[in-house]
Amino acid sequence: MSVLEALRVPEELSARVPAEQRGAGRDDVRLMVSRGVAVSHHAFRELPGLLRAGDVLVVNTSPTLAAAVNGRLGGDAMVVHFSTRGDDGRWAVELRDPDGRGSTRPRPGGPAGGLVRLPGGAQLVLQEPVGAGAAGPVGVAGPARLWWASVAVDVPGLLARYGRPIRYGYTERDQPLAAYQTVFARPSRDGSGSAEMPSAARPFTAGMVAELVSRGVQVAPVTLHTGVASAEAHEPPYPERFEVPASTAWLVGAARAGGGRIVAVGTTAVRALESATGEDGVVRAASGWTDLVVTPGRGVRAVDGLLTGLHEPEASHLLMLEAVAGREALGRAYAEALRRLYLWHEFGDVHLLLPDEGAH
């Protein structure tokens, strides 16, 4: 059995509060670096010295939404997670049961026709599981826990007034929405955003970005609005809306031509960039929905490195990491992460995967 197959993350290695509540700031986290199969350990603030002039960081600018709202279905209290807005105006939602400790437990979706009362007199009507029938913007099979729902109010406005960030049971308490925004987040024109934070970019500060730019490291934006991911189910990601602008496509092409490395900040940035990359390895401007799942079999075409958090062993993210770094390198890194007591999840430590210098 490999390290990854045997991996079990002890409960005490879950980051329960943001880094700034444990230490000196949100950049006060540890950074594990894999160069091929070699592993080294650093403070995140050392990142500028680990990159080179001409490298490009690809960052996700999607803002995090206050996507969790209390509701009632009949006499039952529940929490609604607003995941994704479809092209037809409906929303994919996940219903969760309150666990009495401020977090939630999974519950089955539906029933069809069920009316969920929301704060302020709003309500939604459950229609069908995501992936059922031809309706909806993404006609592929989806998890039954997610349902399409019609909502008779402006959802971004509803979330801004009554919502709070989605919180899972390993965290200690609710945090303000600001704790879930990255320095790269930008408001979208239609109020769309991510149900869950693109968390790999969370440790970056404005000062860090300025230092990177001063050293010749360039920053290129993409957008991918993340939907909800069940902490229990470890399902592969379903289709998400993304955009790779022409300026980013050009910058990535120019950097690669000049020998620079393309380092994605987060698995969402990988998914967006690879969705815009042809079989010829050229990144082109693109937008819409992506159902791409990056696996070792598919590999990566544009990305040379990845900055990411530490992922649960069952998570599909590990397949993407294996596609970037290779199984042996990933196994060695995760063994080191456990031995050195790195912290997992969105408020935890981060991992930089780079190609070894000899292979570059």
Side-chain angles (χ1 to χ4, degrees):
M1 181 180 293
S2 71
V3 171
L4 295 175
E5 290 168 338
L7 182 66
R8 295 292 179 268
V9 182
E11 192 174 325
E12 59 269 25
L13 294 188
S14 293
R16 302 189 183 283
V17 297
E20 58 270 31
Q21 296 174 25
R22 304 191 302 264
R26 62 165 54 199
D27 60 349
D28 191 10
V29 298
R30 290 185 291 170
L31 172 66
M32 181 170 64
V33 178
S34 294
R35 295 181 186 273
V37 296
V39 180
S40 59
H41 303 277
H42 306 263
F44 180 74
R45 291 167 181 150
E46 298 174 49
L47 178 65
L50 297 166
L51 299 175
R52 302 192 298 241
D55 287 345
V56 174
L57 288 177
V58 179
V59 302
N60 186 0
T61 62
S62 176
T64 307
L65 300 174
V69 179
N70 293 335
R72 297 192 77 85
L73 176 61
D76 296 336
M78 63 182 53
V79 176
V80 180
H81 288 174
F82 284 85
S83 177
T84 306
R85 176 160 56 186
D87 291 337
D88 58 4
R90 298 186 301 173
W91 279 78
V93 300
E94 178 192 40
L95 306 185
R96 308 267 301 184
D97 287 327
D99 66 0
R101 301 188 303 274
S103 184
T104 59
R105 296 185 296 259
R107 77 180 296 280
L115 186 150
V116 179
R117 287 175 286 130
L118 302 170
Q123 58 189 33
L124 65 80
V125 179
L126 300 166
Q127 296 187 334
E128 60 184 342
V130 169
V138 283
V140 300
R145 65 186 174 84
L146 290 174
W147 278 61
W148 288 113
S150 60
V151 192
V153 297
D154 171 62
V155 171
L158 176 78
L159 301 184
R161 188 168 185 181
Y162 298 108
R164 60 187 180 280
I166 288 174
R167 178 191 156 199
Y168 288 114
Y170 50 76
T171 56
E172 186 174 297
R173 56 184 177 271
D174 282 348
Q175 299 289 342
L177 183 59
Y180 288 85
Q181 301 294 12
T182 75
V183 71
F184 304 111
R186 293 291 178 269
S188 56
R189 290 186 297 275
D190 62 359
S192 294
S194 290
E196 296 188 354
M197 172 175 58
S199 57
R202 190 182 186 282
F204 284 86
T205 63
M208 165 78 78
V209 175
E211 182 177 355
L212 287 163
V213 172
S214 72
R215 288 171 175 254
V217 176
Q218 303 182 79
V219 178
V222 297
T223 301
L224 185 138
H225 298 312
T226 67
V228 297
S230 170
E232 299 86 8
H234 301 298
E235 298 155 342
Y238 56 93
E240 295 169 315
R241 193 189 301 274
F242 81 105
E243 179 180 8
V244 174
S247 58
T248 289
W250 181 88
L251 188 59
V252 168
R256 290 175 68 86
R261 299 172 297 186
I262 310 304
V263 180
V265 178
T267 57
T268 60
V270 175
R271 197 182 198 200
L273 195 64
E274 291 290 327
S275 297
T277 306
E279 293 184 0
D280 57 1
V282 176
V283 179
R284 298 175 176 85
S287 62
W289 295 84
T290 178
D291 59 1
L292 176 66
V293 178
V294 177
T295 64
R298 189 267 187 190
V300 289
R301 297 167 181 166
V303 170
D304 301 302
L306 170 62
L307 180 72
T308 183
L310 292 156
H311 300 284
E312 292 282 358
E314 299 89 350
S316 61
H317 295 82
L318 284 187
L319 292 176
M320 180 185 291
L321 270 59
E322 190 178 336
V324 174
R327 190 169 183 81
E328 182 182 2
L330 198 58
R332 290 197 183 192
Y334 271 61
E336 277 287 286
L338 286 176
R339 189 174 71 84
R340 297 270 189 147
L341 304 180
Y342 274 70
L343 294 179
W344 256 251
H345 301 305
E346 67 266 35
F347 297 138
D349 298 313
V350 287
H351 182 198
L352 176 64
L353 301 101
L354 293 173
D356 65 59
E357 294 300 308
H360 180 68

